[in-house]
Amino acid sequence: MRSGVMRVPQEKDADYLALAARHRPPTPVWRNAVRAFVVGGGVCVVGQLVTDFFEVHGQTATRAASPTAVVMVGLGALFTGLGLYDRLVQAGGMGGALPISGFANAMVAPAMEYRREGLVLGVGAKLFTVAGPVLAYGLGSAFLVGVVRLVVGS
Amino acid sequence: MSRSTRQFEQVAVVGHFAAGGAREGQGPLAAAFDQVWDDDLVGETTWEAAEAKMAVDALEGAAHDGGWSLGEADVVVGGDLLDQLVSTNFAARQHHRPTLGVFAACATFAEAVGLAGLWCDRGSTRAVAGAWSHHLAVERQFRFPIEFGYQRTPTASWTATAAGALALTQGTGAVQLRAFTVGRVVDPGSADPMDMGTAMAPAAWDSLQRHLAAVKARWDDYDRVFTGDLGVVGSGILCDLANDPGFVRVHDDCGRSLYRPDQDVHNGGSGTGCVAAVVAGHIMPRVETGEWHRVLVAATGALFSPTSYQQGESIPAVAHVIELEAYRP
Amino acid sequence: MISDLLIAFGVGGALCVLAQLVVDVGRITAAHVMVLFVVLGALTGGLGWYGPLVKWAGAGATVPLPGFGYTMVEGIDRATQTEGVLGLLTGGLTAAAGGIKAAVVFSLAAALVFNPRA
């Protein structure tokens, strides 16, 4: 039989997409979750050790948060530079990306990458490719929350 | 005969050259490569320049294998995945041969070879056709910066650092370019840029059927029918669409051939250079020796851009088909 | 001390699992999820839920990105108490300044020192 009977999918074809979905290997949801837990938990333990260090050296728990963020960002930047942080995320998924060291990774990676396109429009502009949205929506939502609190509080 | 398929009597493929990067050089086709670039930058200062260098190397290598030099080529046809075809055009700045830059994403190689065939069919001409891609140059354009961590999904393909070129001329040689079918753009409505197999399988099937009808052949007539970069997922879908044991028996896929399953490339290889390197390094030698007599290559390309998928457009695809045959006087 | 570390591990890990599930099940990109979780941190901070979690879990709650959103909200709260309405605009960045400035400075430094590779 000449195999010319199969209609070729064109336009959005639900039947075809259902057929194709059967050939897609399933996302290993459980495996990814376990890895995210271990890696993310591990990063936070490092953060806790740093916080404890600052508390032992005279900071209150609240005031230790800021220097802890700085150190975690520094570690994220260093491991990105050494070419290791992307492997941590490849293994741990959001366990590597969600901590603030992942935020550093999102800034350092484009900074390294775009040096050849110049320091201003390369490094300077691309620095905020992923981090920019995080800052914009973080600050934006915090502003709204602040407005509501101010109105409710008064 | 279909007017979208052109059959050739007198187009010989006289030279071929294939090369890959370090990762490809550790894959199953290591022995097929004429050259392996262990250095990411291929001695250049940027990845884009490295890709242009790969292009020049491949073009020169193929011409040399054909017994002439690139300087004697009348026409160069080639393409890549970078914006404005910079590596192809920057390579042309260096080799200075009359050049046609073509783009059909990962189907570029078949389009280039087909056009070179058309050129050689009509006169005593020498043409070199090829395609090239550099993983790092392509990745930063289409996805994220290299060191930005993100998890690759099981359906994602790995853009190959690879290049391949063929030297063609009018006449007869060990291998003949027999036919070229121009593909139609087919869009089944998939919008996941991490799953090219789903987007491209229908285009491959469309072009293969049209080619088969145009040259009045059956799947049994071929030793192998290669698709481009459908990979593991797309190959499964294609065989399902075909629903024909005769087709499944001869089908193979370039993207699936380039890496071992343990090389962490998930769905397989992709990129303009993938099909080019597999045809030039893996298929051509086998047709030359007569191990395979008649081979089809349906190179598949996903025709999206970073802008189009951010705008939520689904991914259209195309497949161009070339047919190679061992010459029997 | 050891229990502090265990709690940080458990809470930090749990937040990351939640984010991972949004990526895998919701099929949303990691960049979108990072934005989502900063916003969630700000919202739950505003509702007074994230503060107790920070007190209990320490770095387990401050190091993941929701902690970043929470920090901004708390900074605005403090600033509005001293500066009034102007604090809405100064408080968020002031509180997050350490992390952001460190990221900028380290990024520029890394751009000069390191080269990316596959």
Side-chain angles (χ1 to χ4, degrees):
Chain A
M1 184 193 79
R2 174 75 56 80
S3 38
V5 287
M6 174 72 201
R7 190 175 62 88
V8 168
Q10 184 78 7
E11 306 297 312
K12 181 136 186 153
D13 188 324
D15 290 346
Y16 170 73
L17 292 178
L19 176 151
R22 288 202 297 276
H23 289 273
R24 253 199 305 271
T27 306
V29 176
W30 283 107
R31 196 194 69 189
N32 285 355
V34 169
R35 288 175 167 192
F37 186 75
V38 172
V39 171
V43 173
C44 290
V45 165
V46 174
Q48 187 63 46
L49 287 170
V50 175
T51 307
D52 289 348
F53 173 84
F54 284 115
E55 282 182 29
V56 167
H57 288 78
Q59 300 279 8
T60 63
T62 322
R63 291 183 54 97
S66 186
T68 301
V70 172
V71 172
M72 295 308 287
V73 163
L75 288 174
L78 179 68
F79 281 97
T80 303
L82 294 174
L84 299 174
Y85 207 88
D86 60 326
R87 293 184 200 177
L88 186 76
V89 180
Q90 177 66 37
M94 292 310 292
L98 196 67
I100 196 161
S101 46
F103 175 76
N105 169 252
M107 286 182 73
V108 174
M112 285 164 65
E113 172 115 10
Y114 284 91
R115 194 175 62 186
R116 289 167 190 142
E117 282 73 18
L119 289 173
V120 175
L121 293 178
V123 174
K126 301 286 186 180
L127 206 57
F128 292 100
T129 312
V130 181
V134 171
L135 286 179
Y137 288 101
L139 288 169
S141 57
F143 175 82
L144 288 178
V145 167
V147 170
V148 171
R149 273 184 158 186
L150 212 58
V151 172
V152 172
S154 61
Chain B
M1 178 182 125
S2 159
R3 293 183 193 181
S4 307
T5 296
R6 192 58 69 84
Q7 284 177 284
F8 307 116
E9 293 299 321
Q10 289 284 312
V11 178
V13 186
V14 292
H16 53 90
F17 185 91
R23 187 186 285 254
E24 293 70 25
Q26 292 159 6
L29 295 191
F33 292 134
D34 299 287
Q35 189 178 349
V36 172
W37 298 290
D38 286 317
D39 168 23
D40 276 349
L41 284 168
V42 198
E44 301 291 323
T45 52
T46 67
W47 296 318
E48 289 75 10
E51 198 179 282
K53 174 75 165 59
M54 292 160 53
V56 173
D57 282 2
L59 293 167
E60 280 177 346
H64 186 76
D65 189 48
W68 22 286
S69 75
L70 185 56
E72 296 173 77
D74 299 300
V75 171
V76 168
V77 194
D80 57 79
L81 286 174
L82 302 184
D83 290 336
Q84 286 77 41
L85 293 180
V86 280
S87 62
T88 299
N89 290 325
F90 280 37
R93 177 174 70 180
Q94 193 178 332
H95 62 65
H96 224 248
R97 301 314 302 157
T99 295
L100 282 172
V102 294
F103 179 84
C106 306
T108 297
F109 181 70
E111 179 173 345
V113 171
L115 288 174
L118 288 173
W119 201 269
C120 293
D121 193 36
R122 287 296 178 89
S124 178
T125 336
R126 287 167 168 171
V128 188
W132 25 82
S133 54
H134 189 298
H135 175 79
L136 296 170
V138 173
E139 199 72 3
R140 73 196 298 235
Q141 177 181 312
F142 278 90
R143 305 218 164 89
F144 292 112
I146 304 306
E147 297 293 353
F148 175 65
Y150 67 97
Q151 234 167 3
R152 298 162 54 74
T153 63
T155 53
S157 299
W158 182 270
T159 308
T161 297
L166 301 181
L168 297 92
T169 181
Q170 194 183 44
T172 49
V175 181
Q176 297 293 115
L177 177 67
R178 277 299 178 211
F180 170 42
T181 293
V182 179
R184 298 193 286 201
V185 174
V186 178
D187 184 349
S190 169
D192 182 358
M194 292 291 197
D195 179 10
M196 295 290 103
T198 296
M200 300 193 303
W205 184 235
D206 181 51
S207 295
L208 282 169
Q209 282 182 299
R210 290 172 49 235
H211 185 90
L212 204 70
V215 303
K216 298 187 173 58
R218 298 175 310 130
W219 299 124
D220 298 348
D221 297 331
Y222 298 96
D223 296 286
R224 287 287 188 286
V225 176
F226 275 87
T227 45
D229 314 328
L230 294 183
V232 180
V233 177
S235 294
I237 298 171
L238 178 66
C239 290
D240 212 352
L241 283 179
N243 192 23
D244 177 348
F247 174 75
V248 174
R249 195 165 50 243
V250 292
H251 173 255
D252 205 340
D253 184 74
C254 297
R256 227 171 35 183
S257 316
L258 197 58
Y259 302 100
R260 290 189 315 273
D262 63 322
Q263 281 184 297
D264 197 30
V265 294
H266 300 266
N267 190 43
S270 68
T272 34
C274 177
V275 178
V278 173
V279 171
H282 179 60
I283 298 175
M284 276 297 297
R286 280 167 180 75
V287 183
E288 267 176 352
T289 59
E291 180 186 341
W292 293 341
H293 184 65
R294 203 172 167 192
V295 174
L296 268 190
V297 179
T300 50
L303 305 173
F304 72 109
S305 78
T307 306
S308 76
Y309 84 73
Q310 278 178 356
Q311 292 174 344
E313 289 270 4
S314 58
I315 300 169
V318 70
H320 299 302
V321 184
I322 52 175
E323 181 170 336
L324 298 169
E325 191 176 21
Y327 179 64
R328 281 192 202 142
Chain C
M1 171 89 183
I2 295 295
S3 68
D4 279 2
L5 294 180
L6 279 178
I7 293 170
F9 185 87
V11 171
L15 284 171
C16 293
V17 169
L18 210 57
Q20 185 71 43
L21 287 176
V22 176
V23 170
D24 285 346
V25 179
R27 297 186 76 84
I28 299 171
T29 70
H32 284 80
V33 174
M34 286 165 85
V35 169
L36 176 71
F37 271 64
V38 167
V39 172
L40 284 179
L43 292 180
T44 52
L47 290 167
W49 300 346
Y50 208 81
L53 189 68
V54 169
K55 278 211 175 55
W56 181 55
T62 56
V63 168
L65 281 180
F68 209 41
Y70 163 76
T71 303
M72 292 172 181
V73 164
E74 286 303 292
I76 286 175
D77 210 35
R78 275 199 303 278
T80 48
Q81 280 164 23
T82 54
E83 300 173 43
V85 177
L86 186 65
L88 285 174
L89 297 175
T90 60
L93 265 181
T94 308
I100 295 172
K101 183 112 186 214
V104 170
V105 171
F106 291 139
S107 297
L108 294 178
L112 297 177
V113 177
F114 296 112
N115 272 318
R117 61 217 141 140

